[in-house]
Each structure stands twice: as structure tokens, then as C-alpha cells.
Amino acid sequence: MSKRDGVDIDPEDAAELFRAAVRPLRELPPQEPPPRRAPPPPRAHMAAADEAAVMRELLDGTFDAATIEVGEELLHLKDGHSPRLLKRLRRGEFSVQDEIDLHHLRAIEAAELLATFLADSHRAGYRCIKIIHGKGLRSGQRGPVLKALTAHTLRRRTDVIAFASARANQGGSGATLVLLSAR
């Protein structure tokens, strides 16, 4: 029982009064709700911003191959990872899933192509890739430009765990094996 303005109204009577007030009713056919669009896939905004910053720096010409000391062999392991990974990479224990050849490219072209290749490889879920940059024997006093560019780019990327010069049968110091993090 509910009271309104001092009058007791039975809930069933109230429901009947409501039905009478809104008649005539017509029942609608059942309808399926419209399909929901799938949400857009997540995007790594910070990774994209880092990639763009590296690309801007490379294209602005702030990169100078002479400022980076590149010895005969490239070798790098990100902090927090086991040295065994680097050892296994140097021994060639990882299967190379894709490779790119930067020979005969200008530094700007090579930088752009390398950034795209690394992003595509990471997106594809590749764990080990090979970058062929050459030994820089014809680079003169500037030193191995593409090799230095490769080392510089790889050190700055968050998705690169380790890299090392390839074994002799895979290109030696003219190629670099790269171990990428999982997606």
C-alpha cells in the first residue's frame, strides 16, 4: 500500500490505472540490438613518439658518424637482461627471421628504412633479425657511416634487447644481429 495525498492506493490498482491511462498499446516486434563496433586496437603512443623523435634527429642531420666510436665489432646489451642472451646471440644460436641490406644507401635513406624495418619486425613478432650495413671500407676518413648509424639507432630503441656483429659466415662485422623484445 502506498499513500499519496492521504489516499491509500493498492499497487495492483495503481498498475491498472496506469495501463488504462496509456491505452491503446501496440506491441512492437522484438529487435536485435545494433552490432557494436569493435574498439580500435591499442596503440603505443610513447613508442611512436620515441620513433618520431629519433627520425627527426636523424633527418635534422644532428647525427655525426665521427662522434660515435665504432670498433670492428658491434656489441650491446640493454640493462636488466642476462649476459647469456648476448652470448647466445654472438654464437648464432637465434634463428634470423628477417634481414635488410643497407648497402649503397645514403645515411638519411638508410635511417628511414632501418626505422621502418625495425618497427615492422617488432610488430610482426620477430625475435632475431639481421641488418647488413657493410664494413665501411669505402667510407674514407668518415669511417663506417652505415655501421655507426645502425649502432646509434639500435642503442636508442626500446624494443632492442641486444645486438652484436654477425658471425663470419653471416657477414661478420659487416652485419649486425639484433634481438628484439616480445610484442
Side-chain angles (χ1 to χ4, degrees):
M1 292 281 219
S2 72
K3 281 192 165 202
R4 183 172 176 148
D5 298 328
V7 178
D8 287 339
I9 300 174
D10 183 34
E12 286 183 29
D13 290 340
E16 185 59 38
L17 284 171
F18 176 76
R19 279 191 225 99
V22 294
R23 281 198 181 138
L25 297 177
R26 142 176 92 92
E27 192 169 323
L28 296 175
Q31 293 181 344
E32 289 187 34
R36 290 186 67 190
R37 287 193 323 201
R43 288 188 354 191
H45 295 286
M46 291 308 293
D50 288 345
E51 297 263 339
V54 168
M55 187 58 71
R56 273 193 310 276
E57 181 181 314
L58 291 171
L59 294 178
D60 286 345
T62 56
F63 167 74
D64 182 14
T67 62
I68 298 176
E69 289 185 34
V70 179
E72 185 65 22
E73 182 180 21
L74 294 180
L75 200 60
H76 180 73
L77 176 68
K78 290 273 170 119
D79 291 337
H81 294 282
S82 170
R84 289 197 65 226
L85 278 176
L86 187 58
K87 194 177 212 176
R88 290 181 60 206
L89 184 64
R90 290 179 73 192
R91 288 181 180 164
E93 292 181 18
F94 291 96
S95 163
V96 174
Q97 296 170 293
D98 201 0
E99 68 180 51
I100 187 171
D101 190 345
L102 303 177
H103 274 110
H104 308 297
L105 294 177
R106 292 181 305 146
I108 291 175
E109 296 167 336
E112 191 173 314
L113 193 61
L114 180 59
T116 302
F117 174 71
L118 289 166
D120 291 347
S121 296
H122 186 255
R123 210 172 297 115
Y126 295 153
R127 292 285 298 184
C128 184
I129 56 173
K130 180 167 67 171
I131 301 167
I132 303 167
H133 43 68
K135 296 181 181 186
L137 299 177
R138 289 179 280 176
S139 296
Q141 291 180 334
R142 295 181 305 164
V145 175
L146 295 179
K147 185 175 183 176
L149 172 73
T150 300
H152 178 74
T153 302
L154 294 175
R155 285 181 203 283
R156 296 193 55 139
R157 292 188 57 100
T158 58
D159 55 353
V160 173
I161 295 173
F163 60 90
S165 290
R167 295 175 57 105
N169 63 348
Q170 293 180 309
S173 63
T176 301
L177 298 177
V178 182
L179 191 61
L180 298 173
S181 62
R183 286 190 284 171

